[in-house]
Amino acid sequence: MSASRRSGTTDEIGPDEQGPEGPQGSGGSGGSEGPGGSDLLAALLDGMDAALCAFDVDGVVTHWNREAERILGWTAEEAVGRHGFAGWAVRSADAEDIEGRLLSAMHAPGRQVHEFALLTKDGGRVLVRTQSAAVRGPDGKPAGLYCAFSEVHAQIDLERSIALSEALFEDASWGVVLVDADLRPAVVNAHAARALGIGRTSVLGRPLGELLAQGVEELESALTHVLAEGAPPAPAEIWVSVRTPEGEQRRCWRCGFVRLASPLAEEPVPLGVGWLFQDVTEGKQGEQEASLLRFRTNQLHRAARAAAECEDPREAATVHLDFALAGFADHALIDRVAGGAVADGEAEGPLRLVRVAATPSGAPGPSLHTGQAGLPVRYAEGHPALQCADRIGSVRASVGAVSAEAAREWAVARQWPGDSVHALCAVLRSRGRTLGVVTFLRGAGRSQFERGDAVYAEDVAVRIAAALDLGEVLGRG
């Protein structure tokens, strides 16, 4: 523990130091300290994380704390009272140079930083980094100096930690956010601020619900788990919606979490969570698109094999329709041109369509053949199916943001099942003629049709058209 030459406790540093009966005593300069002043100073020095020793103006060791004892092995009783480090804490050959560098701090402004090797009690050598500065008396003249030191590798580790922290919050190519125990951002790096679409200072202290439109519950659940249980074993992928001037953008962030605890507490005290994330939206979308393409290709292959076993071409057409529905739509309809296929430019007046197949509107099941009576469907002018046949191209339609009752009226008015909110019509073409239209319908639980969906629907339409054309040739249309 810390000791002085008097009693094993820490004394003041000064050239006029006298024994316990001296005019100043060990309690402090001029008796300004209370009876426990030296004990308090000893406790403070022993509680330091850095090793500390002090010298008087003559270079005699006056203080030696517990961390210095831990590093070098010399106790306070063995160190205090020695003149310099020569012969015990440094090699004799190095003593003059080292003591000269140390004592020079007594006459220099500010702190002096040096690195040199000290000897341990068992004869080993420890490379330390020192910070030394003068201690001045009431008259402003040097009365001694203090020297704080630590092992170089420990100092380098600390500097690396600080450098890493600064780099993460300045130059990192992924988002870094320190979240406090109340799940509010405390520190945010530039990358994270850009990802959140807000300034670095504006984000601090705000609830996550104000920063994200969707995905807040999942993110807060992950942060709460880390605070309670610690870091998860692997990164987590979280889909969020970020508010931007252009509207909400859906993003996928691959997130890593670490729990932060105070290094100064005897028991771990959670300070918050370190949240690191990287935007992987493009990669995830690419994976999803590739997986969807593989699935749809497999469905087309399976449908072709099943249709090849159908004796009736109409049945082959509905087989293609049923296979296409899986994961794609909720309902599907096949409408044929009344009176047979029409070549381009030969139509007399508006086309009329007859419903020949439809999926059940209630319980799921195979498509049903209809339209034996040959009555045209009551499609109003401008209906998506009529537009599709007229343009010889795909047409998409959606009800938009309306009430459930208005959406039902929209679907029923177009002769579709009442729960339909999104539609995709693809023309049936074979041998340069228009045979009809296939319509795919989605309910409110699905997203609207995209361009990639239209490409898939057109692939299915080609196969259905070929089957229907074959049936017409065979007289079974």
Side-chain angles (χ1 to χ4, degrees), residues 19-52:
E21 286 75 23
Q24 294 184 1
S26 63
S29 177
S32 61
E33 294 186 14
S38 59
D39 292 337
L40 174 61
L41 184 55
L44 290 173
L45 294 180
D46 276 341
M48 294 176 61
D49 290 330
L52 184 136

Side-chain angles (χ1 to χ4, degrees), residues 35-196:
S38 59
D39 292 337
L40 174 61
L41 184 55
L44 290 173
L45 294 180
D46 276 341
M48 294 176 61
D49 290 330
L52 184 136
C53 65
F55 302 86
D56 64 15
V57 71
D58 297 320
V60 176
V61 178
T62 60
H63 297 76
W64 191 265
N65 75 346
R66 193 184 302 276
E67 184 66 10
E69 178 180 338
R70 185 194 68 79
I71 293 177
L72 298 180
W74 300 97
T75 65
E77 289 78 4
E78 294 170 320
V80 172
R82 291 179 180 264
H83 191 283
F85 286 154
W88 63 287
V90 297
R91 297 191 310 174
S92 300
D94 300 331
E96 182 178 354
D97 175 61
I98 291 175
E99 290 183 11
R101 291 158 65 185
L102 281 177
L103 296 177
S104 66
M106 207 177 303
H107 305 285
R111 292 179 299 173
Q112 302 292 308
V113 178
H114 301 286
E115 287 185 8
F116 45 74
L118 295 181
L119 294 178
T120 63
K121 187 175 181 179
D122 59 8
R125 299 182 72 194
V126 178
L127 184 63
V128 299
R129 178 173 296 175
T130 66
Q131 294 186 33
S132 52
V135 176
R136 302 190 181 277
D139 57 358
K141 294 181 179 181
L145 66 89
Y146 75 84
C147 174
F149 62 92
S150 60
E151 297 176 81
V152 167
H153 71 81
Q155 183 71 19
I156 291 176
D157 288 345
L158 175 61
E159 292 178 1
R160 284 174 178 157
S161 297
I162 295 173
L164 173 61
S165 176
E166 292 180 350
L168 286 175
F169 286 104
E170 295 297 335
D171 306 322
S173 59
W174 56 86
V176 182
V177 181
L178 296 189
V179 182
D180 63 21
D182 295 327
L183 305 186
R184 294 172 183 254
V187 186
V188 178
N189 77 340
H191 188 99
R194 289 194 299 271
L196 292 168

Side-chain angles (χ1 to χ4, degrees), residues 94 204 226 358 449 473:
D94 300 331
L204 303 182
V226 174
F449 290 99
V473 171

Side-chain angles (χ1 to χ4, degrees), residues 408-450:
R408 181 176 180 81
E409 292 176 359
W410 177 84
V412 172
R414 287 158 178 75
Q415 310 301 315
W416 294 333
D419 60 346
S420 303
V421 297
H422 306 298
L424 171 59
C425 300
V427 65
L428 301 176
R429 298 275 295 176
S430 178
R431 293 189 294 160
R433 302 176 304 155
T434 298
L435 280 71
V437 176
V438 58
T439 303
F440 295 98
L441 302 167
R442 288 177 176 175
R446 295 178 183 265
S447 61
Q448 64 184 9
F449 290 99
E450 303 292 344

Side-chain angles (χ1 to χ4, degrees), residues 54 173 206 241 278 442:
S173 59
R206 297 177 60 179
S241 290
Q278 190 174 27
R442 288 177 176 175

